[in-house]
Amino acid sequence: MRRVTLLALLAALAVIVVCGNSITAQDVTRHYLILAKGQRTANPALVKAITNAGGTVTGVLPEIGVVLADSRKPGFLDAVAALAGVQEAAEDVEVPWLPPQEQAVEASGVEATGVNSEPFWGYQWNIRQIHADQTAAAGDQGLGQVRARVAVLDAGIWSGHPDIGPNVNLGLSRSFVPGEPGIDPIVYGFNHGTHVAGIIAAPINDRGVQGVAPRAEIVAVKVLRSDTGSGAFSWIIQGILYASGPLVRADVINMSLGATFDRINAEGGGTGPLIAALNRAVNYATAAGTLCVSAAGNEGVDLDSRLWAIPAQSGNGMAVAATGPYGQEDFDRPASYTNYGRSVINVTAPGGDYVYPSNTYYYDMIISPAGRTETAWSYYFAAGTSMAAPHVAGVAALIVGRYGTMQPAQLKTLIEQSADDILKPGADPYSGRGRINAVRALERR
């Protein structure tokens, strides 16, 4: 049998090199991201200087010292980069943070089976593997009485899906994608953000599946196009600032999205400023009290190298690798696609894997609410580090639910120290500090 992975390795991307100012057509409006010197400034003089250089300022992010501007003027980027108050600048490119060839397998024709009240419980090996079945069974002792808030930065969400909709805060949910003002997708079928949100917080309601933290509140922050999975750096950065800002104040941000760059070519290709701005955003969120959890990526590459996976390696958040069984065996095995790196990976969590062709592949993958047609809601099986990260976000939500709000460093430490050491003793490239354990994470030391 040929062994492959599903979703074309969900959060994986090819190494991207972008030439910052290589096209000089005068009739094209380009978008730019400008980093000011000093990370917390909205200097009016700088804004005026950008305008005088031929730009139209479209946004100012004073929390991290970033200005967004449009211009049709040739040479604008060079002119702005030379301004006294500018650290660096780049064209705000739109890239695919989810692969365009993304696929998922709809759970149609699959028999409902299980021992608890959720019809698809029999397929949720992932919940049992991290012992979130035990935390749910413990009631208030396991789920807590504080409702943790998790912001899902993704390609929107099917807000009306009955197995995640009840836990979505529609009032706070928001889109940063031009042309998609609502959080719901603009195309029917599988939606990545819904699948991720369901892993975190699908309620126990006898409808389909159980999430890791079934009482958590989801704030959907759309930062990617729901039909292509692509997005501009500024959309993601604005989403991070919004989710961690004074209106939302999320306990956790989940980013099951990613792009992988060559460290050397990225600087030469003009993407260095974009990566630096994303670093500022993640660090701002952390300082504001929000833990950022990101998928490590699915290229199967060593990140202790010249490769750089973002946002997994952005700022001081958490990077999550994936485990996945092979033919329903060895559920703590590193998934065939997961990125790795001893200096990068904090922990690992179930992401799924599968053998193809196989009539039982769905026992090795992650099931979650994810789809909609004109007439019905549906569930999908999927695999990737995109599926692993929300397990960690869910455990973080359980900790907050039990003990209340705490600083990101405390959350990160509890998750790491309570993980099961599953591979080589101590931290290792594929699992970091280990595979997360929801029960142990609630045994506060």
Side-chain angles (χ1 to χ4, degrees):
M1 292 184 180
R2 181 169 172 249
R3 186 177 165 198
V4 297
T5 56
L6 191 68
L7 294 179
L9 309 180
L10 272 171
L13 295 173
V15 173
I16 300 171
V17 179
V18 180
C19 295
N21 202 27
S22 59
I23 300 176
T24 59
Q26 297 185 35
D27 59 347
V28 177
T29 297
R30 301 193 175 280
H31 312 292
Y32 298 92
L33 191 151
I34 303 158
L35 281 77
K37 292 179 179 177
Q39 296 192 18
R40 294 196 177 205
T41 178
N43 189 337
L46 176 58
V47 172
K48 183 178 180 179
I50 293 170
T51 302
N52 291 340
T56 299
V57 173
T58 59
V60 178
L61 310 179
E63 307 96 326
I64 59 171
V66 166
V67 179
L68 307 176
D70 291 350
S71 181
R72 300 173 63 181
K73 183 178 179 179
F76 172 76
L77 181 57
D78 291 337
V80 165
L83 293 175
V86 171
Q87 177 176 311
E88 50 187 345
E91 186 175 342
D92 183 22
V93 293
E94 185 175 331
V95 299
W97 298 86
L98 307 176
Q101 69 272 34
E102 180 177 280
Q103 301 177 46
V105 179
E106 188 174 3
S108 59
V110 177
E111 294 183 2
T113 176
V115 296
N116 75 357
S117 62
E118 297 300 321
F120 291 120
W121 174 248
Y123 302 109
Q124 290 199 273
W125 62 271
N126 53 308
I127 296 295
R128 295 186 287 275
Q129 195 68 10
I130 68 169
H131 308 293
D133 56 331
Q134 297 177 40
T135 53
D140 287 348
Q141 287 298 309
L143 301 179
Q145 296 183 342
V146 175
R147 196 173 194 201
R149 177 172 290 168
V150 182
V152 175
L153 271 61
D154 215 294
I157 195 171
W158 286 119
S159 61
H161 197 297
D163 215 11
I164 190 58
N167 280 342
V168 177
N169 186 323
L170 291 175
L172 291 180
S173 296
R174 181 177 173 183
S175 173
F176 288 90
V177 178
E180 295 191 37
I183 61 169
D184 283 270
I186 62 173
V187 292
Y188 286 120
F190 173 80
N191 175 256
H192 187 269
T194 310
H195 198 279
V196 167
I199 294 171
I200 298 170
I204 298 175
N205 58 3
D206 304 338
R207 287 186 174 273
V209 299
Q210 170 202 319
V212 176
R215 293 182 184 175
E217 178 184 80
I218 296 294
V219 175
V221 183
K222 186 190 285 187
V223 294
L224 306 178
R225 298 191 187 278
S226 56
D227 56 346
T228 66
S230 64
F233 275 75
S234 62
W235 306 349
I236 296 172
I237 289 167
Q238 289 177 89
I240 293 171
L241 299 183
Y242 172 73
S244 59
L247 184 61
V248 178
R249 296 190 186 277
D251 297 295
V252 186
I253 288 175
N254 187 90
M255 289 184 282
S256 288
L257 51 90
T260 301
F261 294 82
D262 185 305
R263 293 174 190 256
I264 298 175
N265 290 336
E267 288 296 332
T271 55
L274 304 176
I275 296 173
L278 189 56
N279 282 337
R280 288 189 181 187
V282 172
N283 286 337
Y284 169 83
T286 305
T290 301
L291 175 66
C292 293
V293 177
S294 301
N298 305 342
E299 294 94 344
V301 298
D302 185 357
L303 297 178
D304 286 328
S305 66
R306 60 186 283 177
L307 299 179
W308 187 267
I310 59 172
Q313 290 175 266
S314 298
N316 44 20
M318 293 190 74
V320 184
T323 61
Y326 182 71
Q328 302 173 62
E329 296 179 357
D330 190 8
F331 289 85
D332 275 337
R333 166 187 163 275
S336 61
Y337 52 80
T338 188
N339 286 350
Y340 57 95
R342 194 174 186 276
S343 69
V344 176
I345 303 302
N346 294 98
V347 291
T348 191
D353 218 333
Y354 80 115
V355 182
Y356 183 84
S358 169
N359 292 327
T360 57
Y361 64 87
Y362 37 79
Y363 282 110
D364 296 339
M365 297 163 63
I366 310 296
I367 187 172
S368 187
R372 182 187 178 185
T373 66
E374 291 186 19
T375 59
W377 304 101
S378 58
Y379 295 76
Y380 278 77
F381 293 96
T385 55
S386 282
M387 285 62 251
H391 287 83
V392 177
V395 169
L398 288 176
I399 296 171
V400 172
R402 176 75 177 275
Y403 297 111
T405 301
M406 62 179 64
Q407 289 300 308
Q410 293 176 284
L411 269 178
K412 182 190 292 190
T413 297
L414 282 173
I415 293 168
E416 290 179 341
Q417 292 183 348
S418 62
D420 292 330
D421 195 353
I422 58 172
L423 301 176
K424 296 179 180 179
D428 67 81
Y430 281 94
S431 69
R433 296 292 298 274
R435 190 254 304 126
I436 59 171
N437 184 322
V439 169
R440 291 187 61 196
L442 295 183
E443 295 172 354
R444 195 171 185 180
R445 292 166 176 76

